[in-house]
Amino acid sequence: MKKLAVCLTLSLAALVPFGQDSKAAANFTDVGTTHRAQAEIYYLVEGGITSGVSETRFVPEQQVTRVQAAAMLGRTLNLNGEQRATNFKDVGKNNFASGYIQQLVDKKIISGYPDGSFKPNNTLSRGEMAVLIGRAFEYKSSSVSVAASSLINKGIASGIADGSFGETQTIKRGDFAVFLARSINADFRTADNEKFEHNAYVDTKDGSKLNLRTGPNTSYPSIASIPSGKIVSYSYSVGEWVYITSDNVKGFVHSAYLQSDKPSDKPVVTPPTSPTPTPTPPPTKPVPTPPGKKPLSDITVVIDAGHGGSDPGSSGHGFIEKNVTLNVAKKMEKYYDKVPMKAKMTRSSDTYVSLNARGAYASKVKGDIFVSIHTNSHTTGSANGTETYYYTRSAAVNPNVSQSKALAKYVQNRQLEAWGLTDRGVKVMNLAVLRQNTVPAVLAELGFISSSKDMGIMGTEAGREKMAKALFIATLDYYYYYENRTDVLPLYSTVNATPSGKLH
Ligand SMILES: [Zn+2]
């Protein structure tokens, strides 16, 4: 359990389940109740580790490819799946699994071929599978036969009919799901020889209870909650999550909430926030629509929760970007309930929406401004802070350069005010969601999901609520200052705020 030590210093608030369940209930017509891999496939789908080829088909009899295996392993370990350039000539940045492949290469879990290729669409052999799983889960895997023995001894795989491991044979998607689910959760194995030999204290830092989940990420349901300070026994880890047992219930918790020393009994007292100056409050009575402007009730703010569905975005500290962005977006949407302006969401559940469709949606619903919500990530974990993007290229589809830039400044300002993270500035960025848009558009990178500092606030309900409110107020600032709309002033009183001052 060497992983435990490095995570002990993290101080995060307890994992708070998001308001809504992130997964859609899958129902594959080709994985019936009697299918040999039924339980394992649905287990992986529940955790967002794999998905069907469509909502109704999993194709369990199809051979698993190297790229599919890499994506599943990357998601299992909660690696940062943000697409990026890779070392391989045949895996471009646009490959859906480019982020996972490069991360697995960096961690020496997967490798390519001597000619510089990865051959993403080659089928995976049983021998390759044994080595991959061996490296990902830190089993003995110095050679194919050693890796195969590890899987056999642990009850994860067995030999084939001729008594060998069948290392050159290919694997079907259904069987790979079985091997992966067994590697993750010992409950699925044919032999139960994992021991819970070590003890640790649960420490949620704030006295709240810790969720014990059925799998190693927050998409998995909580089956028990463990009081802070309790001693639990742990076995192995899956990425940064640890398989533990407490009161005879087995499950997973994030390693950030386990420590070897008894936590102090004193609850952590949050220091009071410095009092905000109270300038003259804005009027609460309606102000007439300024001449030449459409009524506020005709203004639509399009809120874009980044990623979703099969595109999880980045992940870290037990959180997945698509869930964080949706959570903040939904909270932001609520603030428009009390004002005449409307909000529309590009997605309001865990669904995949293409980047171009997001921009097209803004036009379709006659949106006036577009705010995309994302979390940043960096592989080393040292980068942190908040930044906001807009797009400026004059040849762009989106002509609203000065509006977008002003909106970005107001959004960045309120984000910094809300969370106080490092100011990484307002930046020009060529992103499809901004470029392929017809209204003033910005993309807010709230903070780094890879940073324990940033997650100290982004990982809390209260932090996300603050951010949602900040993004709402930023849209008021934009209309008040950039669009010269005095009728926005009374809306500030719905959240006890005042205009920011002119920034553009
Ligand atoms: Zn993102």
Side-chain angles (χ1 to χ4, degrees):
M1 269 299 310
K2 53 181 184 273
K3 287 236 171 80
L4 191 62
V6 299
C7 297
L8 297 183
T9 55
L10 295 182
S11 95
L12 295 180
L15 294 178
V16 180
F18 289 107
Q20 88 145 39
D21 230 357
S22 64
K23 73 257 171 199
N27 193 1
F28 303 120
T29 54
D30 53 5
V31 184
T33 50
T34 57
H35 193 278
R36 67 182 187 290
Q38 194 228 10
E40 291 87 349
I41 288 171
Y42 283 101
Y43 176 73
L44 297 182
V45 169
E46 184 174 34
I49 291 168
T50 188
S51 55
V53 298
S54 71
E55 273 177 25
T56 55
R57 289 178 64 237
F58 186 79
V59 290
E61 304 311 313
Q62 202 172 71
Q63 309 300 310
V64 71
T65 60
R66 285 167 54 80
V67 66
Q68 289 171 347
M72 282 189 248
L73 272 181
R75 294 185 198 119
T76 298
L77 300 177
N78 292 300
L79 301 183
N80 172 6
E82 199 92 41
Q83 287 163 281
R84 71 196 75 174
T86 75
N87 295 353
F88 306 109
K89 57 187 181 189
D90 56 354
V91 181
K93 190 180 174 185
N94 290 333
N95 185 301
F96 84 97
S98 60
Y100 292 123
I101 290 174
Q102 191 55 43
Q103 285 255 291
L104 291 167
V105 168
D106 293 345
K107 292 177 178 297
K108 302 199 174 3
I109 291 170
I110 208 166
S111 51
Y113 293 91
D115 68 353
S117 68
F118 183 77
K119 306 195 198 311
N121 298 319
N122 272 17
T123 52
L124 190 78
S125 71
R126 284 172 57 91
E128 287 177 305
M129 179 274 294
V131 172
L132 264 186
I133 288 184
R135 289 181 186 152
F137 291 88
E138 301 179 14
Y139 305 151
K140 290 194 173 71
S141 55
S142 53
S143 67
V144 172
S145 62
V146 168
S149 306
S150 298
L151 297 195
I152 292 169
N153 293 339
K154 286 180 178 291
I156 292 168
S158 47
I160 60 170
D162 70 1
S164 75
F165 187 70
E167 64 176 73
T168 57
Q169 290 190 8
T170 56
I171 312 173
K172 293 171 180 167
R173 282 164 54 85
D175 296 311
F176 187 77
V178 170
F179 298 140
L180 188 54
R182 286 177 181 169
S183 306
I184 295 169
N185 191 331
D187 256 6
F188 287 113
R189 297 183 195 174
T190 55
D192 186 7
N193 46 26
E194 292 294 352
K195 306 232 178 346
F196 294 88
E197 287 177 319
H198 308 279
N199 293 330
Y201 290 96
V202 167
D203 183 6
T204 57
K205 308 326 193 242
D206 61 358
S208 61
K209 288 185 174 182
L210 179 63
N211 284 324
L212 182 68
R213 296 181 182 274
T214 59
N217 68 53
T218 53
S219 297
Y220 284 104
S222 169
I223 40 173
S225 51
I226 308 171
S228 197
K230 192 174 166 77
I231 297 178
V232 297
S233 304
Y234 62 85
S235 181
Y236 57 88
S237 54
V238 178
E240 292 188 340
W241 288 67
V242 187
Y243 190 53
I244 71 158
T245 182
S246 172
D247 292 335
N248 294 320
V249 183
K250 293 175 191 172
F252 293 84
V253 298
H254 194 281
S255 56
Y257 307 108
L258 296 180
Q259 64 167 45
S260 40
D261 302 323
K262 193 176 195 304
S264 124
D265 293 332
K266 280 180 285 176
V268 179
V269 179
T270 324
T273 47
S274 53
T276 39
T278 45
T280 330
T284 51
K285 287 200 187 101
V287 170
T289 304
K293 306 272 185 195
K294 63 180 179 180
L296 280 177
S297 55
D298 280 359
I299 287 180
T300 300
V301 175
V302 178
I303 304 172
D304 177 47
H307 309 274
S310 59
D311 168 20
S314 54
S315 58
H317 298 99
F319 288 84
I320 305 173
E321 180 177 2
K322 66 172 182 178
N323 295 341
V324 176
T325 60
L326 181 60
N327 185 261
V328 174
K330 285 185 156 180
K331 288 178 162 51
M332 180 182 174
E333 182 190 21
K334 286 216 176 71
Y335 283 96
Y336 294 91
D337 289 348
K338 290 188 195 148
V339 300
M341 294 158 70
K342 292 191 290 276
K344 293 266 189 193
M345 306 266 283
T346 57
R347 68 176 179 101
S348 47
S349 62
D350 184 23
T351 48
Y352 176 80
V353 184
S354 76
L355 295 176
N356 287 352
R358 292 170 195 253
Y361 177 81
S363 147
K364 193 180 119 195
V365 300
K366 301 196 167 48
D368 293 277
I369 55 173
F370 182 95
V371 179
S372 185
I373 299 171
H374 283 253
T375 68
N376 227 327
S377 180
H378 195 268
T379 48
T380 64
S382 59
N384 63 86
T386 301
E387 57 196 27
T388 306
Y389 306 141
Y390 69 102
Y391 182 60
T392 188
R393 198 78 52 81
S394 55
V397 175
N398 191 344
N400 305 288
V401 176
S402 59
Q403 294 94 326
S404 299
K405 184 179 181 182
L407 179 58
K409 286 185 173 175
Y410 290 108
V411 164
Q412 178 71 2
N413 172 59
R414 291 292 185 177
Q415 286 194 88
L416 295 174
E417 188 180 279
W419 282 4
L421 299 179
T422 306
D423 182 4
R424 299 172 62 92
V426 168
K427 297 174 177 176
V428 173
M429 199 65 82
N430 184 1
L431 297 170
V433 76
L434 303 179
R435 188 179 62 235
Q436 306 297 122
N437 219 312
T438 51
V439 303
V442 300
L443 187 147
E445 293 278 10
L446 313 183
F448 278 70
I449 205 164
S450 51
S451 156
S452 51
K453 179 189 173 208
D454 292 6
M455 287 312 290
I457 184 152
M458 189 162 27
T460 67
E461 274 289 318
R464 294 189 295 269
E465 189 66 59
K466 248 186 178 174
M467 178 54 73
K469 183 173 164 184
L471 295 172
F472 164 73
I473 303 172
T475 64
L476 301 187
D477 291 337
Y478 169 79
Y479 278 105
Y480 181 61
Y481 290 107
Y482 189 88
E483 304 284 350
N484 292 312
R485 296 198 61 135
T486 46
D487 54 342
V488 166
L489 273 177
L491 311 192
Y492 283 94
S493 63
T494 62
V495 286
N496 288 321
T498 51
S500 58
K502 189 172 169 174
L503 299 174
H504 70 273

